[in-house]
Amino acid sequence: YAIGPTGCRLVLVKSGGPAAAAGLQVEDVVTKVDGRPVGSADLTTDLMVRALKASGDATLDVEYIRNGIPKQATITLAPAL
């Protein structure tokens, strides 16, 4: 990923992974996660902790931009291996 002034541009989306399953694609710009703007240190830490503790029903609501068009998706987190 690459963090810019308006969000986080995805440079890799793992095929078959939770983000791909939610419809996110390379070059999408994620602007908010669970209503919080992307780019803050506390959000990054919170996301890492949530991903490590994820169960099959944990979700993230994501707002992103694709080709200038705002979109939304819900990502179901995969349990850590």
Short mmCIF file of all heavy atoms in Angstrom, two decimals:
data_model
loop_
_atom_site.label_atom_id
_atom_site.label_comp_id
_atom_site.label_asym_id
_atom_site.label_seq_id
_atom_site.Cartn_x
_atom_site.Cartn_y
_atom_site.Cartn_z
N TYR A 1 0.84 -1.17 0.00
CA TYR A 1 0.00 0.00 0.00
C TYR A 1 0.88 1.23 0.00
O TYR A 1 2.04 1.18 0.36
CB TYR A 1 -0.96 0.01 1.19
CG TYR A 1 -0.28 0.09 2.53
CD1 TYR A 1 -0.05 1.31 3.11
CD2 TYR A 1 0.12 -1.06 3.22
CE1 TYR A 1 0.57 1.40 4.34
CE2 TYR A 1 0.74 -0.98 4.44
CZ TYR A 1 0.96 0.25 5.00
OH TYR A 1 1.58 0.34 6.21
N ALA A 2 0.32 2.35 -0.38
CA ALA A 2 1.02 3.63 -0.36
C ALA A 2 0.06 4.67 0.21
O ALA A 2 -1.02 4.85 -0.31
CB ALA A 2 1.46 4.02 -1.77
N ILE A 3 0.47 5.32 1.29
CA ILE A 3 -0.40 6.30 1.93
C ILE A 3 -0.16 7.66 1.30
O ILE A 3 0.97 8.12 1.20
CB ILE A 3 -0.17 6.36 3.45
CG1 ILE A 3 -0.54 5.02 4.08
CG2 ILE A 3 -0.96 7.50 4.08
CD1 ILE A 3 -0.30 4.92 5.55
N GLY A 4 -1.23 8.29 0.85
CA GLY A 4 -1.16 9.60 0.24
C GLY A 4 -2.01 10.58 1.03
O GLY A 4 -2.55 10.24 2.07
N PRO A 5 -2.17 11.80 0.50
CA PRO A 5 -2.92 12.82 1.23
C PRO A 5 -4.41 12.52 1.35
O PRO A 5 -5.07 13.05 2.22
CB PRO A 5 -2.68 14.08 0.41
CG PRO A 5 -2.31 13.61 -0.95
CD PRO A 5 -1.63 12.28 -0.75
N THR A 6 -4.94 11.65 0.50
CA THR A 6 -6.38 11.38 0.55
C THR A 6 -6.69 9.95 0.99
O THR A 6 -7.85 9.59 1.10
CB THR A 6 -7.04 11.61 -0.82
OG1 THR A 6 -6.41 10.75 -1.78
CG2 THR A 6 -6.91 13.05 -1.25
N GLY A 7 -5.69 9.13 1.21
CA GLY A 7 -5.96 7.76 1.61
C GLY A 7 -4.81 6.84 1.30
O GLY A 7 -3.68 7.27 1.10
N CYS A 8 -5.12 5.57 1.22
CA CYS A 8 -4.13 4.53 1.01
C CYS A 8 -4.40 3.85 -0.33
O CYS A 8 -5.43 3.21 -0.49
CB CYS A 8 -4.22 3.53 2.16
SG CYS A 8 -3.14 2.12 2.00
N ARG A 9 -3.47 4.01 -1.27
CA ARG A 9 -3.62 3.39 -2.59
C ARG A 9 -3.14 1.95 -2.51
O ARG A 9 -2.04 1.66 -2.08
CB ARG A 9 -2.81 4.15 -3.64
CG ARG A 9 -2.96 3.57 -5.05
CD ARG A 9 -2.24 4.41 -6.08
NE ARG A 9 -0.87 4.68 -5.72
CZ ARG A 9 0.17 3.90 -6.06
NH1 ARG A 9 -0.02 2.80 -6.75
NH2 ARG A 9 1.39 4.23 -5.70
N LEU A 10 -3.99 1.03 -2.92
CA LEU A 10 -3.63 -0.38 -2.87
C LEU A 10 -2.71 -0.73 -4.04
O LEU A 10 -3.05 -0.47 -5.19
CB LEU A 10 -4.89 -1.25 -2.92
CG LEU A 10 -5.91 -1.02 -1.79
CD1 LEU A 10 -7.11 -1.93 -1.97
CD2 LEU A 10 -5.27 -1.20 -0.43
N VAL A 11 -1.57 -1.29 -3.73
CA VAL A 11 -0.62 -1.69 -4.76
C VAL A 11 -0.59 -3.21 -4.92
O VAL A 11 0.00 -3.72 -5.86
CB VAL A 11 0.80 -1.14 -4.51
CG1 VAL A 11 0.80 0.38 -4.59
CG2 VAL A 11 1.35 -1.61 -3.18
N LEU A 12 -1.23 -3.92 -4.00
CA LEU A 12 -1.33 -5.37 -4.07
C LEU A 12 -2.61 -5.81 -3.37
O LEU A 12 -2.92 -5.35 -2.27
CB LEU A 12 -0.12 -6.03 -3.38
CG LEU A 12 -0.15 -7.55 -3.25
CD1 LEU A 12 0.01 -8.19 -4.63
CD2 LEU A 12 0.95 -8.03 -2.33
N VAL A 13 -3.38 -6.65 -4.01
CA VAL A 13 -4.56 -7.26 -3.42
C VAL A 13 -4.42 -8.75 -3.67
O VAL A 13 -4.41 -9.19 -4.83
CB VAL A 13 -5.87 -6.72 -4.02
CG1 VAL A 13 -7.07 -7.44 -3.43
CG2 VAL A 13 -5.99 -5.22 -3.79
N LYS A 14 -4.27 -9.52 -2.60
CA LYS A 14 -4.04 -10.96 -2.73
C LYS A 14 -5.27 -11.65 -3.32
O LYS A 14 -6.38 -11.54 -2.79
CB LYS A 14 -3.70 -11.56 -1.38
CG LYS A 14 -3.38 -13.03 -1.44
CD LYS A 14 -3.00 -13.58 -0.09
CE LYS A 14 -2.76 -15.07 -0.19
NZ LYS A 14 -2.44 -15.63 1.12
N SER A 15 -5.06 -12.35 -4.41
CA SER A 15 -6.14 -13.10 -5.05
C SER A 15 -6.72 -14.10 -4.05
O SER A 15 -5.99 -14.84 -3.41
CB SER A 15 -5.59 -13.84 -6.27
OG SER A 15 -6.61 -14.60 -6.87
N GLY A 16 -8.03 -14.08 -3.89
CA GLY A 16 -8.69 -14.99 -2.95
C GLY A 16 -8.67 -14.52 -1.51
O GLY A 16 -9.25 -15.16 -0.65
N GLY A 17 -8.00 -13.41 -1.24
CA GLY A 17 -7.94 -12.88 0.12
C GLY A 17 -9.18 -12.08 0.48
O GLY A 17 -10.06 -11.84 -0.36
N PRO A 18 -9.28 -11.64 1.74
CA PRO A 18 -10.47 -10.92 2.19
C PRO A 18 -10.76 -9.64 1.41
O PRO A 18 -11.92 -9.37 1.10
CB PRO A 18 -10.15 -10.60 3.66
CG PRO A 18 -9.18 -11.65 4.07
CD PRO A 18 -8.36 -11.93 2.85
N ALA A 19 -9.74 -8.86 1.07
CA ALA A 19 -9.98 -7.62 0.32
C ALA A 19 -10.48 -7.92 -1.09
O ALA A 19 -11.41 -7.29 -1.58
CB ALA A 19 -8.70 -6.78 0.26
N ALA A 20 -9.88 -8.91 -1.74
CA ALA A 20 -10.33 -9.29 -3.09
C ALA A 20 -11.75 -9.82 -3.05
O ALA A 20 -12.57 -9.50 -3.92
CB ALA A 20 -9.39 -10.34 -3.68
N ALA A 21 -12.08 -10.60 -2.02
CA ALA A 21 -13.43 -11.15 -1.90
C ALA A 21 -14.46 -10.04 -1.71
O ALA A 21 -15.61 -10.18 -2.12
CB ALA A 21 -13.49 -12.14 -0.74
N ALA A 22 -14.02 -8.92 -1.11
CA ALA A 22 -14.94 -7.78 -0.91
C ALA A 22 -15.01 -6.89 -2.15
O ALA A 22 -15.78 -5.94 -2.18
CB ALA A 22 -14.48 -6.96 0.29
N GLY A 23 -14.18 -7.19 -3.16
CA GLY A 23 -14.24 -6.45 -4.40
C GLY A 23 -13.18 -5.38 -4.57
O GLY A 23 -13.17 -4.68 -5.59
N LEU A 24 -12.28 -5.23 -3.61
CA LEU A 24 -11.23 -4.22 -3.76
C LEU A 24 -10.23 -4.67 -4.81
O LEU A 24 -10.01 -5.87 -5.01
CB LEU A 24 -10.53 -3.96 -2.43
CG LEU A 24 -11.25 -2.92 -1.57
CD1 LEU A 24 -12.46 -3.52 -0.90
CD2 LEU A 24 -10.32 -2.32 -0.56
N GLN A 25 -9.63 -3.68 -5.48
CA GLN A 25 -8.69 -3.95 -6.57
C GLN A 25 -7.46 -3.07 -6.42
O GLN A 25 -7.50 -2.02 -5.75
CB GLN A 25 -9.34 -3.65 -7.92
CG GLN A 25 -10.57 -4.46 -8.22
CD GLN A 25 -11.24 -4.04 -9.52
OE1 GLN A 25 -10.74 -3.19 -10.26
NE2 GLN A 25 -12.38 -4.63 -9.81
N VAL A 26 -6.37 -3.49 -7.06
CA VAL A 26 -5.16 -2.68 -7.12
C VAL A 26 -5.53 -1.32 -7.70
O VAL A 26 -6.35 -1.22 -8.61
CB VAL A 26 -4.08 -3.39 -7.97
CG1 VAL A 26 -2.91 -2.46 -8.26
CG2 VAL A 26 -3.61 -4.66 -7.29
N GLU A 27 -4.94 -0.27 -7.15
CA GLU A 27 -5.16 1.13 -7.51
C GLU A 27 -6.38 1.77 -6.83
O GLU A 27 -6.57 2.97 -6.93
CB GLU A 27 -5.22 1.37 -9.04
CG GLU A 27 -3.96 1.00 -9.76
CD GLU A 27 -2.73 1.82 -9.36
OE1 GLU A 27 -2.88 3.01 -9.03
OE2 GLU A 27 -1.63 1.25 -9.35
N ASP A 28 -7.22 0.98 -6.14
CA ASP A 28 -8.27 1.59 -5.33
C ASP A 28 -7.60 2.43 -4.24
O ASP A 28 -6.52 2.07 -3.74
CB ASP A 28 -9.16 0.53 -4.67
CG ASP A 28 -10.09 -0.15 -5.64
OD1 ASP A 28 -10.26 0.33 -6.77
OD2 ASP A 28 -10.65 -1.21 -5.26
N VAL A 29 -8.23 3.52 -3.85
CA VAL A 29 -7.70 4.38 -2.78
C VAL A 29 -8.66 4.29 -1.60
O VAL A 29 -9.78 4.79 -1.66
CB VAL A 29 -7.55 5.84 -3.25
CG1 VAL A 29 -7.06 6.72 -2.09
CG2 VAL A 29 -6.59 5.92 -4.43
N VAL A 30 -8.22 3.64 -0.53
CA VAL A 30 -9.03 3.49 0.68
C VAL A 30 -8.94 4.79 1.46
O VAL A 30 -7.84 5.26 1.79
CB VAL A 30 -8.54 2.29 1.53
CG1 VAL A 30 -9.36 2.18 2.81
CG2 VAL A 30 -8.63 1.00 0.72
N THR A 31 -10.10 5.38 1.74
CA THR A 31 -10.14 6.66 2.43
C THR A 31 -10.58 6.56 3.89
O THR A 31 -10.16 7.36 4.72
CB THR A 31 -11.08 7.64 1.70
OG1 THR A 31 -12.38 7.05 1.60
CG2 THR A 31 -10.54 7.96 0.31
N LYS A 32 -11.43 5.57 4.19
CA LYS A 32 -11.89 5.38 5.57
C LYS A 32 -12.05 3.90 5.86
O LYS A 32 -12.42 3.12 4.99
CB LYS A 32 -13.24 6.07 5.80
CG LYS A 32 -13.17 7.58 5.79
CD LYS A 32 -14.51 8.18 6.16
CE LYS A 32 -14.43 9.70 6.15
NZ LYS A 32 -15.73 10.30 6.49
N VAL A 33 -11.82 3.56 7.12
CA VAL A 33 -12.05 2.21 7.61
C VAL A 33 -12.88 2.35 8.88
O VAL A 33 -12.47 3.03 9.83
CB VAL A 33 -10.74 1.46 7.90
CG1 VAL A 33 -11.03 0.08 8.47
CG2 VAL A 33 -9.89 1.34 6.64
N ASP A 34 -14.05 1.74 8.89
CA ASP A 34 -14.98 1.85 10.00
C ASP A 34 -15.23 3.31 10.38
O ASP A 34 -15.28 3.67 11.55
CB ASP A 34 -14.50 1.05 11.21
CG ASP A 34 -14.69 -0.45 11.03
OD1 ASP A 34 -15.47 -0.85 10.14
OD2 ASP A 34 -14.05 -1.23 11.76
N GLY A 35 -15.35 4.16 9.34
CA GLY A 35 -15.66 5.57 9.55
C GLY A 35 -14.49 6.44 9.95
O GLY A 35 -14.64 7.64 10.12
N ARG A 36 -13.30 5.85 10.09
CA ARG A 36 -12.13 6.61 10.51
C ARG A 36 -11.22 6.85 9.31
O ARG A 36 -10.94 5.93 8.55
CB ARG A 36 -11.38 5.86 11.61
CG ARG A 36 -12.22 5.76 12.87
CD ARG A 36 -11.75 4.73 13.86
NE ARG A 36 -10.35 4.84 14.23
CZ ARG A 36 -9.72 3.88 14.88
NH1 ARG A 36 -10.35 2.76 15.21
NH2 ARG A 36 -8.45 4.01 15.19
N PRO A 37 -10.72 8.09 9.14
CA PRO A 37 -9.83 8.39 8.02
C PRO A 37 -8.57 7.53 8.05
O PRO A 37 -8.01 7.26 9.11
CB PRO A 37 -9.48 9.86 8.21
CG PRO A 37 -10.55 10.41 9.08
CD PRO A 37 -10.99 9.27 9.96
N VAL A 38 -8.14 7.09 6.89
CA VAL A 38 -6.93 6.30 6.76
C VAL A 38 -5.72 7.21 6.92
O VAL A 38 -5.74 8.35 6.49
CB VAL A 38 -6.89 5.60 5.39
CG1 VAL A 38 -5.55 4.98 5.11
CG2 VAL A 38 -7.98 4.55 5.31
N GLY A 39 -4.67 6.69 7.53
CA GLY A 39 -3.42 7.44 7.64
C GLY A 39 -3.03 7.76 9.06
O GLY A 39 -1.89 8.14 9.31
N SER A 40 -3.93 7.58 10.01
CA SER A 40 -3.58 7.88 11.39
C SER A 40 -2.90 6.66 12.02
O SER A 40 -3.24 5.51 11.74
CB SER A 40 -4.81 8.27 12.20
OG SER A 40 -5.72 7.20 12.27
N ALA A 41 -1.92 6.92 12.88
CA ALA A 41 -1.16 5.84 13.51
C ALA A 41 -2.05 4.96 14.37
O ALA A 41 -1.88 3.73 14.40
CB ALA A 41 -0.02 6.42 14.34
N ASP A 42 -3.01 5.56 15.08
CA ASP A 42 -3.87 4.75 15.94
C ASP A 42 -4.75 3.81 15.13
O ASP A 42 -5.01 2.68 15.54
CB ASP A 42 -4.72 5.62 16.87
CG ASP A 42 -5.72 6.49 16.13
OD1 ASP A 42 -5.37 7.02 15.06
OD2 ASP A 42 -6.85 6.65 16.63
N LEU A 43 -5.18 4.22 13.94
CA LEU A 43 -5.98 3.35 13.09
C LEU A 43 -5.13 2.18 12.60
O LEU A 43 -5.56 1.04 12.62
CB LEU A 43 -6.56 4.11 11.89
CG LEU A 43 -7.32 3.25 10.88
CD1 LEU A 43 -8.53 2.58 11.53
CD2 LEU A 43 -7.74 4.07 9.69
N THR A 44 -3.88 2.46 12.19
CA THR A 44 -2.99 1.40 11.72
C THR A 44 -2.77 0.36 12.80
O THR A 44 -2.88 -0.84 12.56
CB THR A 44 -1.65 1.99 11.26
OG1 THR A 44 -1.90 2.96 10.25
CG2 THR A 44 -0.73 0.93 10.73
N THR A 45 -2.49 0.80 14.02
CA THR A 45 -2.28 -0.12 15.13
C THR A 45 -3.54 -0.92 15.42
O THR A 45 -3.49 -2.14 15.60
CB THR A 45 -1.85 0.65 16.40
OG1 THR A 45 -0.66 1.37 16.10
CG2 THR A 45 -1.61 -0.28 17.57
N ASP A 46 -4.68 -0.25 15.44
CA ASP A 46 -5.96 -0.91 15.70
C ASP A 46 -6.25 -1.98 14.64
O ASP A 46 -6.67 -3.09 14.97
CB ASP A 46 -7.09 0.13 15.72
CG ASP A 46 -8.45 -0.50 15.99
OD1 ASP A 46 -8.57 -1.25 16.98
OD2 ASP A 46 -9.38 -0.23 15.21
N LEU A 47 -5.99 -1.68 13.38
CA LEU A 47 -6.23 -2.65 12.31
C LEU A 47 -5.33 -3.86 12.45
O LEU A 47 -5.76 -5.00 12.23
CB LEU A 47 -6.04 -2.01 10.94
CG LEU A 47 -7.07 -0.97 10.54
CD1 LEU A 47 -6.69 -0.35 9.21
CD2 LEU A 47 -8.46 -1.57 10.49
N MET A 48 -4.07 -3.65 12.82
CA MET A 48 -3.15 -4.78 12.99
C MET A 48 -3.62 -5.69 14.12
O MET A 48 -3.63 -6.91 13.99
CB MET A 48 -1.73 -4.27 13.24
CG MET A 48 -1.12 -3.65 12.00
SD MET A 48 0.45 -2.80 12.23
CE MET A 48 1.38 -3.91 13.24
N VAL A 49 -4.03 -5.11 15.24
CA VAL A 49 -4.51 -5.90 16.38
C VAL A 49 -5.78 -6.66 15.99
O VAL A 49 -5.92 -7.85 16.28
CB VAL A 49 -4.76 -4.99 17.61
CG1 VAL A 49 -5.52 -5.74 18.70
CG2 VAL A 49 -3.44 -4.45 18.13
N ARG A 50 -6.71 -5.99 15.33
CA ARG A 50 -7.96 -6.64 14.92
C ARG A 50 -7.69 -7.79 13.95
O ARG A 50 -8.33 -8.83 14.03
CB ARG A 50 -8.92 -5.63 14.30
CG ARG A 50 -9.50 -4.70 15.36
CD ARG A 50 -10.37 -3.64 14.77
NE ARG A 50 -11.55 -4.19 14.14
CZ ARG A 50 -12.44 -3.45 13.49
NH1 ARG A 50 -12.28 -2.17 13.41
NH2 ARG A 50 -13.48 -4.02 12.94
N ALA A 51 -6.76 -7.59 13.01
CA ALA A 51 -6.44 -8.65 12.05
C ALA A 51 -5.85 -9.86 12.75
O ALA A 51 -6.16 -11.01 12.42
CB ALA A 51 -5.48 -8.12 10.99
N LEU A 52 -5.00 -9.64 13.75
CA LEU A 52 -4.37 -10.75 14.47
C LEU A 52 -5.38 -11.51 15.32
O LEU A 52 -5.24 -12.71 15.54
CB LEU A 52 -3.23 -10.24 15.35
CG LEU A 52 -2.00 -9.77 14.59
CD1 LEU A 52 -1.01 -9.10 15.54
CD2 LEU A 52 -1.34 -10.93 13.87
N LYS A 53 -6.42 -10.82 15.80
CA LYS A 53 -7.43 -11.44 16.67
C LYS A 53 -8.68 -11.86 15.90
O LYS A 53 -9.66 -12.28 16.51
CB LYS A 53 -7.83 -10.47 17.78
CG LYS A 53 -6.74 -10.16 18.76
CD LYS A 53 -7.25 -9.21 19.82
CE LYS A 53 -6.22 -8.96 20.88
NZ LYS A 53 -6.71 -8.07 21.94
N ALA A 54 -8.66 -11.75 14.60
CA ALA A 54 -9.87 -11.95 13.79
C ALA A 54 -10.44 -13.35 13.92
O ALA A 54 -9.73 -14.34 13.95
CB ALA A 54 -9.56 -11.66 12.32
N SER A 55 -11.75 -13.38 13.99
CA SER A 55 -12.49 -14.64 13.88
C SER A 55 -13.23 -14.57 12.55
O SER A 55 -13.15 -13.58 11.83
CB SER A 55 -13.46 -14.78 15.05
OG SER A 55 -14.43 -13.75 15.01
N GLY A 56 -13.96 -15.60 12.22
CA GLY A 56 -14.63 -15.65 10.94
C GLY A 56 -15.73 -14.63 10.74
O GLY A 56 -16.20 -14.45 9.63
N ASP A 57 -16.14 -13.93 11.80
CA ASP A 57 -17.23 -12.98 11.67
C ASP A 57 -16.80 -11.53 11.86
O ASP A 57 -17.63 -10.63 11.85
CB ASP A 57 -18.36 -13.33 12.64
CG ASP A 57 -17.92 -13.29 14.10
OD1 ASP A 57 -16.71 -13.16 14.36
OD2 ASP A 57 -18.78 -13.41 14.98
N ALA A 58 -15.51 -11.28 12.01
CA ALA A 58 -15.02 -9.91 12.17
C ALA A 58 -15.03 -9.21 10.81
O ALA A 58 -14.61 -9.78 9.81
CB ALA A 58 -13.62 -9.91 12.75
N THR A 59 -15.52 -7.97 10.80
CA THR A 59 -15.62 -7.24 9.53
C THR A 59 -15.05 -5.84 9.67
O THR A 59 -14.95 -5.29 10.77
CB THR A 59 -17.08 -7.13 9.05
OG1 THR A 59 -17.84 -6.42 10.03
CG2 THR A 59 -17.68 -8.49 8.80
N LEU A 60 -14.70 -5.26 8.53
CA LEU A 60 -14.30 -3.86 8.42
C LEU A 60 -15.15 -3.22 7.34
O LEU A 60 -15.28 -3.78 6.25
CB LEU A 60 -12.83 -3.75 8.01
CG LEU A 60 -11.76 -4.29 8.94
CD1 LEU A 60 -10.40 -4.22 8.27
CD2 LEU A 60 -11.75 -3.50 10.24
N ASP A 61 -15.73 -2.07 7.63
CA ASP A 61 -16.44 -1.30 6.62
C ASP A 61 -15.43 -0.33 6.01
O ASP A 61 -14.80 0.44 6.72
CB ASP A 61 -17.62 -0.55 7.23
CG ASP A 61 -18.71 -1.50 7.68
OD1 ASP A 61 -18.98 -2.48 6.96
OD2 ASP A 61 -19.29 -1.28 8.76
N VAL A 62 -15.28 -0.41 4.70
CA VAL A 62 -14.25 0.35 4.00
C VAL A 62 -14.89 1.29 2.98
O VAL A 62 -15.79 0.88 2.25
CB VAL A 62 -13.28 -0.62 3.28
CG1 VAL A 62 -12.24 0.13 2.48
CG2 VAL A 62 -12.62 -1.55 4.28
N GLU A 63 -14.43 2.54 2.99
CA GLU A 63 -14.81 3.49 1.95
C GLU A 63 -13.59 3.69 1.08
O GLU A 63 -12.46 3.83 1.59
CB GLU A 63 -15.25 4.81 2.56
CG GLU A 63 -16.51 4.69 3.39
CD GLU A 63 -16.94 5.99 4.02
OE1 GLU A 63 -16.71 7.06 3.41
OE2 GLU A 63 -17.48 5.95 5.13
N TYR A 64 -13.78 3.67 -0.23
CA TYR A 64 -12.65 3.81 -1.14
C TYR A 64 -13.08 4.50 -2.42
O TYR A 64 -14.26 4.71 -2.66
CB TYR A 64 -12.03 2.44 -1.44
CG TYR A 64 -12.93 1.46 -2.15
CD1 TYR A 64 -12.82 1.24 -3.51
CD2 TYR A 64 -13.89 0.73 -1.46
CE1 TYR A 64 -13.63 0.33 -4.17
CE2 TYR A 64 -14.71 -0.18 -2.11
CZ TYR A 64 -14.57 -0.38 -3.46
OH TYR A 64 -15.38 -1.29 -4.11
N ILE A 65 -12.09 4.87 -3.21
CA ILE A 65 -12.34 5.54 -4.48
C ILE A 65 -11.73 4.68 -5.59
O ILE A 65 -10.58 4.26 -5.49
CB ILE A 65 -11.72 6.95 -4.50
CG1 ILE A 65 -12.35 7.81 -3.40
CG2 ILE A 65 -11.89 7.60 -5.87
CD1 ILE A 65 -11.65 9.11 -3.15
N ARG A 66 -12.52 4.42 -6.62
CA ARG A 66 -12.03 3.71 -7.81
C ARG A 66 -12.37 4.57 -9.03
O ARG A 66 -13.53 4.88 -9.27
CB ARG A 66 -12.69 2.33 -7.94
CG ARG A 66 -12.22 1.61 -9.21
CD ARG A 66 -12.84 0.24 -9.37
NE ARG A 66 -12.45 -0.61 -8.26
CZ ARG A 66 -13.22 -1.61 -7.80
NH1 ARG A 66 -14.39 -1.87 -8.34
NH2 ARG A 66 -12.81 -2.33 -6.79
N ASN A 67 -11.34 4.95 -9.75
CA ASN A 67 -11.52 5.78 -10.95
C ASN A 67 -12.35 7.03 -10.67
O ASN A 67 -13.22 7.41 -11.45
CB ASN A 67 -12.16 4.97 -12.08
CG ASN A 67 -11.31 3.79 -12.49
OD1 ASN A 67 -10.08 3.89 -12.52
ND2 ASN A 67 -11.93 2.68 -12.79
N GLY A 68 -12.11 7.65 -9.51
CA GLY A 68 -12.79 8.88 -9.15
C GLY A 68 -14.18 8.69 -8.58
O GLY A 68 -14.83 9.66 -8.23
N ILE A 69 -14.64 7.44 -8.46
CA ILE A 69 -15.99 7.16 -7.97
C ILE A 69 -15.93 6.59 -6.56
O ILE A 69 -15.30 5.55 -6.34
CB ILE A 69 -16.72 6.18 -8.90
CG1 ILE A 69 -16.79 6.75 -10.31
CG2 ILE A 69 -18.10 5.83 -8.37
CD1 ILE A 69 -17.23 5.76 -11.35
N PRO A 70 -16.57 7.26 -5.57
CA PRO A 70 -16.59 6.73 -4.21
C PRO A 70 -17.38 5.42 -4.15
O PRO A 70 -18.43 5.28 -4.78
CB PRO A 70 -17.30 7.82 -3.39
CG PRO A 70 -17.25 9.03 -4.25
CD PRO A 70 -17.22 8.56 -5.67
N LYS A 71 -16.85 4.46 -3.38
CA LYS A 71 -17.50 3.16 -3.23
C LYS A 71 -17.37 2.72 -1.78
O LYS A 71 -16.59 3.29 -1.02
CB LYS A 71 -16.86 2.13 -4.15
CG LYS A 71 -17.04 2.45 -5.63
CD LYS A 71 -16.42 1.35 -6.50
CE LYS A 71 -16.74 1.60 -7.96
NZ LYS A 71 -17.96 0.97 -8.39
N GLN A 72 -18.11 1.67 -1.43
CA GLN A 72 -18.05 1.09 -0.09
C GLN A 72 -18.00 -0.42 -0.20
O GLN A 72 -18.53 -0.99 -1.15
CB GLN A 72 -19.26 1.49 0.75
CG GLN A 72 -19.36 2.98 1.00
CD GLN A 72 -20.59 3.32 1.83
OE1 GLN A 72 -21.53 2.55 1.95
NE2 GLN A 72 -20.59 4.51 2.41
N ALA A 73 -17.36 -1.05 0.80
CA ALA A 73 -17.32 -2.50 0.85
C ALA A 73 -17.19 -2.93 2.30
O ALA A 73 -16.75 -2.15 3.16
CB ALA A 73 -16.12 -3.03 0.05
N THR A 74 -17.59 -4.14 2.57
CA THR A 74 -17.38 -4.75 3.88
C THR A 74 -16.43 -5.92 3.69
O THR A 74 -16.69 -6.83 2.89
CB THR A 74 -18.71 -5.23 4.49
OG1 THR A 74 -19.56 -4.09 4.67
CG2 THR A 74 -18.48 -5.90 5.84
N ILE A 75 -15.32 -5.87 4.42
CA ILE A 75 -14.32 -6.94 4.34
C ILE A 75 -14.49 -7.84 5.56
O ILE A 75 -14.52 -7.38 6.70
CB ILE A 75 -12.90 -6.34 4.35
CG1 ILE A 75 -12.70 -5.43 3.15
CG2 ILE A 75 -11.85 -7.45 4.39
CD1 ILE A 75 -11.38 -4.69 3.17
N THR A 76 -14.63 -9.14 5.31
CA THR A 76 -14.68 -10.12 6.39
C THR A 76 -13.26 -10.61 6.59
O THR A 76 -12.63 -11.15 5.70
CB THR A 76 -15.60 -11.29 6.02
OG1 THR A 76 -16.92 -10.78 5.79
CG2 THR A 76 -15.64 -12.32 7.15
N LEU A 77 -12.75 -10.36 7.81
CA LEU A 77 -11.36 -10.71 8.10
C LEU A 77 -11.20 -12.22 8.22
O LEU A 77 -12.06 -12.91 8.75
CB LEU A 77 -10.91 -10.05 9.40
CG LEU A 77 -10.96 -8.52 9.41
CD1 LEU A 77 -10.57 -7.99 10.79
CD2 LEU A 77 -10.05 -7.95 8.35
N ALA A 78 -10.08 -12.70 7.72
CA ALA A 78 -9.75 -14.12 7.82
C ALA A 78 -9.01 -14.34 9.13
O ALA A 78 -8.20 -13.51 9.54
CB ALA A 78 -8.88 -14.54 6.64
N PRO A 79 -9.27 -15.46 9.80
CA PRO A 79 -8.53 -15.75 11.04
C PRO A 79 -7.04 -15.88 10.75
O PRO A 79 -6.64 -16.37 9.71
CB PRO A 79 -9.11 -17.09 11.49
CG PRO A 79 -10.42 -17.22 10.79
CD PRO A 79 -10.27 -16.46 9.50
N ALA A 80 -6.21 -15.40 11.69
CA ALA A 80 -4.76 -15.53 11.56
C ALA A 80 -4.38 -17.01 11.62
O ALA A 80 -4.98 -17.78 12.36
CB ALA A 80 -4.06 -14.75 12.68
N LEU A 81 -3.40 -17.37 10.85
CA LEU A 81 -2.95 -18.76 10.81
C LEU A 81 -1.93 -19.02 11.88
O LEU A 81 -1.19 -18.24 12.29
CB LEU A 81 -2.37 -19.10 9.45
CG LEU A 81 -3.35 -18.95 8.28
CD1 LEU A 81 -2.64 -19.20 6.97
CD2 LEU A 81 -4.50 -19.91 8.44
#
